[in-house]
Amino acid sequence: MPSLILTGHPCTGKTTFAHLLAARALRHSSNTISHIIHIRESTACPDQTKAECYSNSHMEKTTRAALKSDFDRAVMSNSGGGDKGSSGSTLVILDSLNYIKGYRYELYCISKAAGGSHGVVWIMGDSSDGGGADDLAKKRNRERKMKHQNNQAENGIDLDGYFEDDGTMDGLVLRYEPPDEKNRWENPLYKVNVTNVFPWGKDGSTLEVSSDPNNPVPKSGEKDGERGELLA
């Protein structure tokens, strides 16, 4: 059973990308994927807001443990799926910061113990090479906070919370440990640049993103099946 670990700085488009990827996987002509389990803070910690999840180091640790527990349960419960002749298997997407290298290694071990395939998708922003959160990410967070307060949704996609302030985002970015494809637990590594995103349909039918040329993500102009790495 395949699993994908999304990682990246705060508010770089991880959850939006996860929704689009899930829609594309379910529509793929190979029928490889028949079900999606999308794990994120709102599912692992339903009684807490994202701001509360990252309000201090203790809450961060508790949030990571909850996410890992949900991921472990999802992967192990579906480890027997996806055999040839079945109607399809389950794709598990862990959509969070996943900002600690050792934590990503633990997730890799869980996947391999279940006998499933595993990949890492690095959702990159303007500040991915270092420094604090970029201005665009901070602007997105402020807009998301306002929309949450007004009970608004964005194109039918759950905004999935917001970070309390710019300082919280800067702190998370400074603690972020970038993935490295040389590490076996982070290979394959797909680097997706979402700073150049073209309009897409609500059903994810026109997924078009600028991605690393060595690991391109399927685009709307490609026929289903031309790139299957993220779905295999």
Side-chain angles (χ1 to χ4, degrees), residues 159-175:
L159 295 173
D160 202 27
Y162 55 85
F163 298 92
E164 186 59 36
D165 50 39
D166 292 353
T168 299
M169 294 177 66
D170 285 336
L172 290 168
V173 168
L174 291 175
R175 296 195 297 278

Side-chain angles (χ1 to χ4, degrees), residues 41-118:
E41 286 85 359
S42 62
T43 61
C45 306
D47 297 328
Q48 298 167 355
T49 65
K50 181 173 284 187
E52 292 172 337
C53 287
Y54 296 96
S55 58
N56 55 59
S57 59
H58 173 71
M59 291 303 299
E60 286 184 33
K61 184 176 181 179
T62 301
T63 299
R64 291 196 303 270
L67 289 165
K68 185 171 69 173
S69 178
D70 275 15
F71 180 75
D72 189 353
R73 183 163 47 250
V75 170
M76 296 304 296
S77 65
N78 291 279
S79 60
D83 295 331
K84 293 181 179 179
S86 70
S87 59
S89 72
T90 298
L91 170 64
V92 178
I93 301 176
L94 179 53
D95 165 23
S96 184
L97 299 172
N98 298 314
Y99 52 103
I100 299 175
K101 186 179 300 183
Y103 182 73
R104 293 194 296 267
Y105 175 70
E106 293 175 357
L107 298 174
Y108 166 84
C109 291
I110 291 173
S111 293
K112 290 307 176 183
S117 57
H118 181 92

